[in-house]
């Protein structure tokens, strides 16, 4: 999700009296002074109507996102608790803990930002609520950067597992847990920090459309953007738009394919009672863990591949972009693809539980421990027998 995907440029008619007055309200920017021009969301050649785009947004925000958050919110907290109990001194536990943290923060940010759609649907039917406007104008949209943190960490996990399978001894010697902790911390800081720069592109404010005579709350370019437009366009359009999704997709696909091939070879050689040194260096525990992580990689590829493909299409077809002829198509596709990012951040817990025997054991240990803590203790009564 780029920052432009959170702001479609079309919004509520919060100033209905402006229609009759046909005057520009104080503090409003004018969209266009030419009444023959078409605003992007009402272009005559658009492939998707604004009504269809708006309905897609509302279904995503008011139905699908809350449902997935009810699963993914607690699910990622449980993931973090399990991997913390297993020990963050183990490199793979540290990586999976960081992935769950990034997914949880992303879902939390999304429910705060888009959750305004739920009461608005039941009341005014508007598009931007107080929380959305506040988070946009105070640059908190930068927290959406956690979705790219999640993608990069997924690529790191797939690469780490591939190295462990190809050369277990070298991986232990070259990649220390402390080194991985520094790498993961840097990913959080750098990616989210850069996305805060991108998020400063827009502010939600009053704009006036002379063609309809209406005043709207819509996304307008910030003063920061006018001063640093080249940098922000590069970060938003290339790095976050296509660069990171495409790169991590290539890395995860390549490393997962190599890892899966190596695991199949190991299983076949064991069945044939091979004494290969390569086989002996892959422990059964590592094989089980690797299969579980291959499962998470497959979920990642299914969810991220359509996003990476769409980003590449937008680079080569500029009319499918915000502010252009097919803006409604652009945002309709993004709202649908957002569901895939929520799915990727939600369902890892089921992969871990289904394919990870150690995860299952720790999971139930946590719940048994909590049950034991909550069990009331019976009061003891000391009886003194007098003779």
């Amino acid at each position: 999700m780029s920052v432009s995907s959170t702001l479609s440029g079309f919004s509520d008619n919060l100033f209905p009296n402006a229609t009759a007055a046909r005057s520009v309200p104080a503090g409003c920017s004018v969209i266009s002074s030419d009444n023959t021009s078409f605003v992007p969301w009402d272009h005559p050649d658009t492939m998707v109507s604004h009504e269809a785009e708006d309905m897609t947004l509302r279904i995503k925000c008011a139905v699908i996102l809350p449902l997935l958050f009810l699963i993914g919110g607690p699910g990622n907290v449980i993931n973090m608790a399990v991997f913390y109990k297993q020990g963050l001194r183990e490199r793979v536990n540290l990586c999976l803990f960081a992935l769950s943290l990034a997914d949880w923060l992303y879902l939390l940010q999304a429910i705060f930002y888009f959750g305004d759609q739920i009461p608005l649907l039941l009341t005014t039917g508007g598009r931007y609520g107080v929380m959305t406007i506040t988070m946009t104008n105070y640059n908190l949209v930068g927290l959406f950067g956690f979705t790219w943190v999640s993608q990069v960490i997924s690529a790191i996990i797939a690469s780490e597992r591939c190295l462990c399978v190809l050369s277990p001894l070298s991986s232990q010697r070259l990649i220390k847990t402390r080194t991985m902790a520094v790498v993961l911390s840097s990913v959080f800081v750098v990616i989210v920090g850069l996305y805060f720069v991108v998020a400063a592109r827009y502010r939600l404010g009053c704009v006036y459309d002379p063609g309809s005579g209406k005043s709207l709350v819509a996304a307008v370019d910030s003063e920061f953007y006018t001063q640093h437009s080249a940098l922000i366009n590069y970060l938003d359009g290339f790095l976050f738009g296509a660069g990171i999704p495409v790169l991590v997709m290539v890395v995860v696909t390549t490393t997962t394919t190599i890892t899966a091939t190596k695991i199949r070879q190991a299983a076949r050689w064991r069945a044939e009672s091979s004494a290969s040194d390569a086989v002996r260096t892959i422990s059964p525990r590592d094989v089980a863990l690797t299969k579980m992580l291959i499962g998470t990689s497959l979920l990642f590829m299914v969810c991220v591949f359509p996003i990476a493909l769409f980003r590449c299409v937008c680079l080569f077809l500029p009319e499918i972009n915000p502010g252009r002829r097919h803006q409604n198509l652009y945002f309709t596709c993004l709202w649908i693809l957002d569901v895939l990012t929520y799915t990727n951040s939600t369902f890892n817990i089921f992969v871990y539980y289904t394919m990870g025997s150690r995860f299952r054991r720790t999971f139930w240990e946590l719940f048994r421990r909590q049950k034991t803590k909550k069990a009331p203790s019976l009061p003891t009564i000391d009886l003194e027998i007098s003779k």
Side-chain angles (χ1 to χ4, degrees):
M1 174 189 296
S2 65
V3 66
S4 57
S5 72
T6 65
L7 305 168
S8 68
F10 182 89
S11 48
D12 316 321
N13 180 11
L14 299 184
F15 305 93
N17 293 334
T19 303
R22 297 283 175 175
S23 59
V24 181
C28 277
S29 303
V30 179
I31 296 179
S32 172
S33 59
D34 183 1
N35 291 337
T36 63
S37 299
F38 295 96
V39 289
W41 54 83
D42 197 26
H43 198 285
D45 296 332
T46 185
M47 298 173 62
V48 177
S49 68
H50 170 68
E51 289 73 20
E53 180 269 331
D54 187 67
M55 182 56 64
T56 305
L57 171 65
R58 295 178 188 280
I59 292 173
K60 182 202 80 165
C61 297
V63 180
I64 299 177
L65 174 58
L67 177 62
L68 291 179
F69 180 78
L70 288 176
I71 301 172
N76 282 297
V77 172
I78 292 173
N79 290 343
M80 287 187 283
V82 168
F83 296 128
Y84 180 82
K85 181 174 177 58
Q86 290 181 355
L88 298 186
R89 292 184 180 276
E90 293 185 30
R91 189 174 63 237
V92 67
N93 287 341
L94 179 63
C95 291
L96 292 172
F97 180 91
L99 177 63
S100 299
L101 176 60
D103 286 337
W104 181 73
L105 290 172
Y106 170 59
L107 290 173
L108 189 66
Q109 160 78 355
I111 198 66
F112 271 109
Y113 188 87
F114 290 114
D116 270 355
Q117 290 290 321
I118 301 174
L120 288 176
L121 282 175
L122 301 176
T123 54
T124 64
R127 187 162 178 125
Y128 295 134
V130 174
M131 182 64 73
T132 303
I133 295 174
T134 301
M135 293 182 69
T136 301
N137 291 343
Y138 283 91
N139 209 31
L140 296 178
V141 178
L143 295 174
F144 273 113
F146 285 115
T147 185
W148 284 277
V149 172
S150 174
Q151 291 182 22
V152 173
I153 292 177
S154 295
I156 291 174
I157 292 173
S159 301
E160 186 269 350
R161 201 46 16 194
C162 182
L163 181 60
C164 285
V165 170
L166 292 177
S167 182
L169 297 179
S170 297
S171 68
Q172 293 294 332
R173 184 177 67 255
L174 297 176
I175 308 176
K176 302 297 184 181
T177 302
R178 181 174 300 178
T179 303
M180 184 61 74
V182 173
V183 171
L184 295 173
S185 300
S186 300
V187 169
F188 273 88
V189 173
V190 172
I191 291 182
V192 175
L194 288 175
Y195 199 70
F196 266 97
V197 176
V198 175
R201 175 172 188 164
Y202 292 113
R203 293 294 179 263
L204 286 173
C206 174
V207 298
Y208 178 74
D209 177 15
S212 64
K214 296 180 180 180
S215 299
L216 312 168
V217 171
V220 296
D221 291 338
S222 66
E223 182 179 351
F224 180 81
Y225 174 72
T226 59
Q227 297 173 355
H228 306 89
S229 58
L231 172 62
I232 294 177
N233 287 338
Y234 171 79
L235 293 176
D236 191 23
F238 179 75
L239 180 63
F240 292 107
I244 292 179
V246 172
L247 179 61
V248 299
M249 191 67 203
V250 170
V251 170
V252 172
T253 302
T254 303
T255 55
T256 301
T257 301
I258 295 173
T259 304
T261 301
K262 187 68 175 178
I263 291 296
R264 283 198 300 268
Q265 290 176 350
R268 184 172 65 251
W269 289 337
R270 280 197 179 92
E272 297 172 354
S273 300
S274 171
S276 169
D277 291 336
V279 175
R280 287 200 299 266
T281 57
I282 306 175
S283 67
R285 178 178 177 273
D286 282 341
V287 170
L289 175 61
T290 301
K291 288 182 177 180
M292 183 188 78
L293 296 181
I294 289 175
T296 63
S297 295
L298 291 176
L299 173 64
F300 174 86
M301 287 187 285
V302 169
C303 293
V304 174
F305 177 76
I307 299 171
L309 179 62
F310 177 72
R311 295 295 188 183
C312 292
V313 170
C314 292
L315 285 179
F316 292 100
L317 298 176
E319 289 300 316
I320 307 179
N321 274 285
R324 308 302 289 269
R325 179 189 308 172
H326 299 303
Q327 170 176 290
N328 292 336
L329 174 62
Y330 173 86
F331 284 111
T332 301
C333 292
L334 274 181
W335 304 144
I336 296 172
L337 293 174
D338 278 350
V339 175
L340 292 179
T341 64
Y342 304 148
T343 300
N344 183 56
S345 296
T346 298
F347 289 101
N348 275 333
I349 185 173
F350 298 105
V351 179
Y352 299 151
Y353 187 88
T354 303
M355 304 183 69
S357 57
R358 188 186 179 198
F359 183 92
R360 288 196 299 273
R361 288 195 302 270
T362 308
F363 174 89
W364 287 113
E365 286 174 6
L366 285 173
F367 278 90
R368 281 195 293 268
R369 183 178 179 183
Q370 293 300 320
K371 186 176 180 180
T372 303
K373 285 183 177 180
K374 293 181 180 179
S377 58
L378 296 176
T380 58
I381 302 176
D382 294 331
L383 297 177
E384 181 179 350
I385 300 177
S386 57
K387 295 182 180 180

